[in-house]
Amino acid sequence: MKKNNKLMITVHDSELKFILYGRKESNGKLIGSLPVKDDYSPEEFSSIIPDEAKKIKNPLLVMPDYVSGNETYPFTTGKKSIASAFIKRKLLESFPSATDAADFYNYTYFKSGQQSGSLYAFYLHDPLAFNLYNNLKDAGMRPERITVPAFIWQHKICKLFEEASSENICLIHALPEECYLYFFVNGNYLFSRSIMLPGSEEAGSEKLNILAFEISQSLRLFSQKAKSEVNRFFLVSSAKMKESDLSEKIGKNIIRLDNDRKEIIEATEEDFMPAPLSVFSLSDIDQKTAPAISHRLVMTEKAWHSVIRTGIITGALLVFLLGLETFYLNYISGGYSSPGKAALSNDMTTRRQVIGKCNDILDLIINEKQRPDPASILGGIAVSLPKSIAPEELTFNLESPYQVVINGRVRTDDPSGIRPDLLAMVESLSRNLRLSKPAAIGDIVFDTKQGGDDTGSAGYKFHIMLDLK
């Protein structure tokens, strides 16, 4: 395997393609393809993946637009742990039959414009994405990032036009036999559509009519979703469609965008890039600053990687300073006079103090990183409690051993409904909190005095102690 190569996996028209690219393969090379199916066994899927692809870790996965979704929520708190818990709860509510959606999301904040103080969340919700991700993970090829053509366009347009982040945009990507429409609100992807066009060269006028009609229909949908109108139109097309002709058809001013990659008008064997990606260069697709989605476990590993790297750098610096100190003591101090030796000794003492402070700071950073985040715990508990269970008091122990005690009350008129509610609670707590061992219904302790002194607080009081990682 040539060094410095990377792997891109694309999904289009029920076909999975493995594309090798990088310093040694600057133009990219198709190294294999296979059909997309839901019923692959892990062994079968792993056996048909090209061996050359298996040698490259952390591939980029490019899925169709329809596997992703997005939503804007009013949200003013800037704390990441609270935002993550909030989005996870919203996704579980929106997709109760696709709980994997709560593990595949990303978000940004609206800091200005019409939606200032809002949270823009984008996520995966289609089973195709979850099944493929799990198959690749089982084959030792877990994707590091997952993107769609709309995310790539969002990043590219914002680079080309500084004002894109405050405008509503329609981008028209016209190919000989199909067309893709992308719509963005304040620079963020809203929705896209794919349209089939007549394939013959003589159908130029018919293509324009079909495209103009579909754009008009999409603009109505945009107005309903965004409560505003599109104010910028861009066209990326083969040379056989003019922006002036389309502008006349829809009555809008359309600006033509130049391509980084030469448009392929007629498909050839060398054209391995799927149609929605045909206009992009490989560097466009692999922009790490472009919007993308990673599994939350991958995001956590990335966050810890920076801490570990900081520790390694600090450790290397300490070794260097200690080696420098040894050099001074063994080779230089012999030539010093008594006053010089005293000054050197003071200098070494100062250096030891600096090294000691570095060690203390490093220990503090590591301890704080390991300490559970109360906001994250609160969010996990809030998501886990059924409607019939009301929390009354939470007690945290954020010194090792880390623990949280939940005091609450089960409100029900039917005692037979208590156990299912509590069972659902402990299962959700095990899933949404980082526990040293899964919570069990046997961990719940009921208070002997039921109902309390206030007759309006009828129910069954309980408490449960959970050990946190």
Side-chain angles (χ1 to χ4, degrees), residues 302-316 362:
K302 286 182 179 180
W304 271 105
H305 178 72
S306 61
V307 176
I308 295 172
R309 183 173 57 183
T310 301
I312 293 174
I313 294 173
T314 304
L362 181 59

Side-chain angles (χ1 to χ4, degrees), residues 159-179:
K159 281 202 311 180
L160 293 174
F161 303 94
E162 293 182 1
E163 64 275 17
S165 60
S166 60
E167 294 190 343
N168 298 336
I169 294 171
C170 169
L171 185 138
I172 306 156
H173 180 197
L175 292 164
E177 298 183 1
E178 55 194 322
C179 181

Side-chain angles (χ1 to χ4, degrees), residues 98-101 104 124-135:
T99 56
D100 285 336
F104 292 89
L124 303 180
H125 60 77
D126 193 282
L128 169 66
F130 307 140
N131 293 338
L132 180 56
Y133 180 89
N134 290 328
N135 284 335

